[in-house]
Amino acid sequence: MGETPYKFDRLDPGVTDAQCVDGKLWVNKPEQSGYVPLGKSMHLMDYNLFYANIRRNAETRLSAFRRQ
């Protein structure tokens, strides 16, 4: 959907993708500027890399909660 770099100054669609393998989430390293992993792990960039997805999920959950 859309990712945002560490400065949260723009929304970039399609910067990376992810897949589950044996219960672990594997994310391809973004090639676009502003997405800098800290060390070997990209775990600290979870919110940045899936920002638009997380927002949509929160909106969906809130809508479902309000319908109850």
Side-chain angles (χ1 to χ4, degrees):
M1 280 191 64
E3 298 82 10
T4 186
Y6 64 92
K7 290 185 179 182
F8 277 87
D9 58 350
R10 66 182 192 265
L11 192 63
D12 301 322
V15 170
T16 190
D17 63 345
Q19 62 180 341
C20 280
V21 177
D22 297 326
K24 295 178 184 173
L25 183 66
W26 290 93
V27 179
N28 289 317
K29 182 179 176 184
E31 297 298 327
Q32 195 160 345
S33 66
Y35 298 89
V36 182
L38 300 173
K40 293 181 180 181
S41 174
M42 296 181 69
H43 183 60
L44 295 175
M45 295 181 62
D46 290 348
Y47 290 109
N48 298 80
L49 293 176
F50 303 104
Y51 181 73
N53 301 77
I54 293 168
R55 283 187 57 132
R56 179 182 278 177
N57 183 269
E59 291 167 356
T60 300
R61 290 171 180 258
L62 181 59
S63 293
F65 176 78
R66 287 181 174 163
R67 283 193 301 269
Q68 291 180 347

